[in-house]
């Protein structure tokens, strides 16, 4: 129990750390859009949390947690798609130079998707990494949201453990925990992403994930620490295979659900095509010039570019670490 409290306090400490003033223009714009009475809290996540992961073209990413959707969405289709494959994603431009992207979902969905009952890795994987709580409505909301961060990292540790090889190190486990969200998505990412993520918060990850691993091993005899920071699987071979197959199935389902989100993102995110094209050029030095028709209707006419990128390995799930 004390170890659990220690982990939660470290998660709390890092979640509340950060320069809120630097992102206040975005947070205030989001609050003005929906009204504080409908919001529970706002998280910042992604590359802008650290100078190690940020690039010259990076922009802030947020998760906006609401009380529910009844006062947020005016059209039934928005409510329905939010329930089926959360979250909704929106692009917010505050002026010609500053813009951000934010994910919107209800507190009840957020609590489920940051737990062992998560539908896929999309939200769970993002909160398996360090995030920053940029705003909260009151102390009770703050504590609920931090509890979700702790539970997300615990759930990620449990999932990752299922797929670990017969022998592995503490550091290999941490890197696998950070990589699991990329395994469960078909996306454009540079190969160095996980290494930079680890370097950006190394002390935090070295404290949290090894302790979560040891706690899981106390409850489930899957592996044993035979030397400091080195582990060996002790569960029967059939159980290892079953665990790996179960994880592979969950990640496959996550990739399918991720692709199902694409049409929704194209409808809700202004400049989504430009954002994706800029990311491809930034991470792979490939410039794509879509025709006006492909830009206007990418889901109908953009498939030649998609299949080319798929063939070249630009769009793919990450490999296991």
């Amino acid at each position: 129990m004390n170890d659990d409290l220690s982990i939660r306090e470290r998660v709390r400490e890092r979640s509340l750390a950060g320069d809120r003033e630097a992102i206040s223009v975005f947070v205030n714009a989001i609050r003005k859009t929906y009204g504080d009475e409908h919001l529970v809290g706002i998280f910042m996540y992604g590359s802008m949390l650290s100078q190690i992961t940020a690039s010259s073209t990076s922009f802030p990413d947020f998760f906006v947690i609401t009380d529910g959707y009844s006062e947020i969405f005016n059209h039934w289709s928005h409510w329905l798609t939010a329930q089926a494959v959360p979250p909704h994603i929106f692009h917010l431009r505050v002026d010609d130079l500053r813009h951000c992207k934010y994910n919107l979902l209800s507190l009840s969905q957020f609590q489920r998707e940051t737990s062992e009952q998560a539908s896929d890795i999309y939200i769970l994987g993002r909160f398996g990494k360090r995030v920053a709580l940029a705003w909260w409505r009151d102390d009770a909301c703050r504590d609920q949201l931090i509890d979700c961060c702790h539970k997300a990292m615990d759930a990620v540790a449990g999932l990752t453990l299922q797929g670990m090889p017969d022998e592995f190190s503490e550091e290999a486990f941490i890197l696998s925990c950070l990589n699991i969200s990329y395994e469960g998505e078909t996306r454009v990412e540079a190969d160095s992403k996980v290494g930079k993520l680890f370097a950006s918060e190394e002390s935090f990850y070295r404290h949290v994930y090894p302790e979560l691993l040891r706690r899981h091993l106390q409850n489930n005899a899957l592996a044993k620490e035979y030397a400091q920071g080195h582990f060996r699987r002790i569960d029967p071979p059939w159980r290892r295979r079953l665990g790996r197959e179960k994880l592979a199935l969950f990640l496959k389902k996550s990739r399918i659900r991720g692709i199902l989100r694409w049409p929704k993102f194209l409808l809700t995110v202004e400049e989504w095509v430009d954002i994706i094209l800029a990311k491809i050029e930034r991470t792979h030095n490939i410039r794509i010039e879509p025709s006006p028709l492909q830009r206007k209707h990418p889901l109908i006419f953009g498939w030649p570019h998609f299949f080319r990128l798929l063939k070249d390995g630009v769009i793919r799930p990450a490999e296991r670490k």
Side-chain angles (χ1 to χ4, degrees), residues 40-58:
V40 178
I42 301 173
F43 287 99
M44 182 179 177
Y45 75 101
S47 61
M48 289 291 286
L49 283 176
S50 168
Q51 292 182 349
I52 294 176
T53 52
S55 71
S56 59
T57 56
S58 297

Side-chain angles (χ1 to χ4, degrees), residues 33 58 88 98 156 234 288 305:
T33 299
S58 297
H88 271 16
R98 294 177 294 181
V156 164
I234 58 173
I288 296 174
H305 293 299

Side-chain angles (χ1 to χ4, degrees), residues 97-113:
L97 298 177
R98 294 177 294 181
H99 64 109
C100 71
K101 176 166 60 69
Y102 65 90
N103 302 259
L104 183 77
L105 74 163
S106 68
L107 177 61
S108 60
Q109 285 186 310
F110 182 61
Q111 289 173 322
R112 183 180 68 247
E113 297 300 328

Side-chain angles (χ1 to χ4, degrees), residues 198-217:
F198 179 56
S200 69
E201 292 284 344
E202 182 173 349
S203 176
F204 173 62
Y205 293 131
R206 284 194 184 278
H207 179 92
V208 172
Y209 273 123
E211 291 305 312
L212 288 173
L213 168 62
R214 291 182 175 91
R215 194 181 72 174
H216 276 280
L217 294 182

Side-chain angles (χ1 to χ4, degrees), residues 154-179:
D154 187 46
V156 164
L159 278 172
T160 302
L161 180 56
Q162 293 182 55
M164 295 306 293
D166 292 348
E167 293 193 16
F168 59 94
S169 67
E170 201 172 81
E171 184 167 314
F173 180 75
I174 298 170
L175 293 174
S176 293
C177 288
L178 298 178
N179 190 60

